[in-house]
Amino acid sequence: PNDVSLFTAHVNGTCRIGVDPATSGATPDGQVHGVPGVHVMDGSLLPTGLGVNPQATIMAISSLLTDRLITRNAV
């Protein structure tokens, strides 16, 4: 017993949202800067770790960005 240690973390902020590619990885619509057609819709868009379970926040951001993507491409 206790031979294996387990650890989990909420890795956030690795592709944060922003308008400046120097300080962010994705546009406010979740598209990766400089890579048309590639979108990120997960916890990496958050600015940093929230300190609490980010599940609801990630689901809300993902839903919002998915709706925007569908609306833009429905033309």
Side-chain angles (χ1 to χ4, degrees), residues 13 24 36 38 43-44 49 60 65 72 74:
S24 61
V38 176
S44 62
L65 294 180
R72 271 196 321 272

Side-chain angles (χ1 to χ4, degrees), residues 1 15 21 24 31 50 55-56 65 67 71 73-75:
C15 191
S24 61
Q31 181 170 288
L50 302 177
Q55 179 178 349
L65 294 180
D67 288 345
T71 300
N73 292 323
V75 178

Side-chain angles (χ1 to χ4, degrees), residues 2 5-6 10 13 15 19 21 23 27 30 34 37 39 42 47-48 52 58 61 71-72 74:
N2 299 322
S5 297
L6 298 177
H10 300 290
C15 191
V19 295
T23 59
T27 69
H39 291 78
D42 64 12
T48 187
V52 297
I58 293 168
I61 289 173
T71 300
R72 271 196 321 272

Side-chain angles (χ1 to χ4, degrees), residues 3-69:
D3 286 343
V4 177
S5 297
L6 298 177
F7 176 81
T8 184
H10 300 290
V11 182
N12 300 308
T14 56
C15 191
R16 68 185 71 179
I17 290 176
V19 295
D20 184 359
T23 59
S24 61
T27 69
D29 287 328
Q31 181 170 288
V32 175
H33 288 294
V35 188
V38 176
H39 291 78
V40 176
M41 297 183 188
D42 64 12
S44 62
L45 295 175
L46 300 173
T48 187
L50 302 177
V52 297
N53 188 330
Q55 179 178 349
T57 304
I58 293 168
M59 288 188 300
I61 289 173
S62 297
S63 293
L64 175 71
L65 294 180
T66 299
D67 288 345
R68 288 182 183 176
L69 183 62

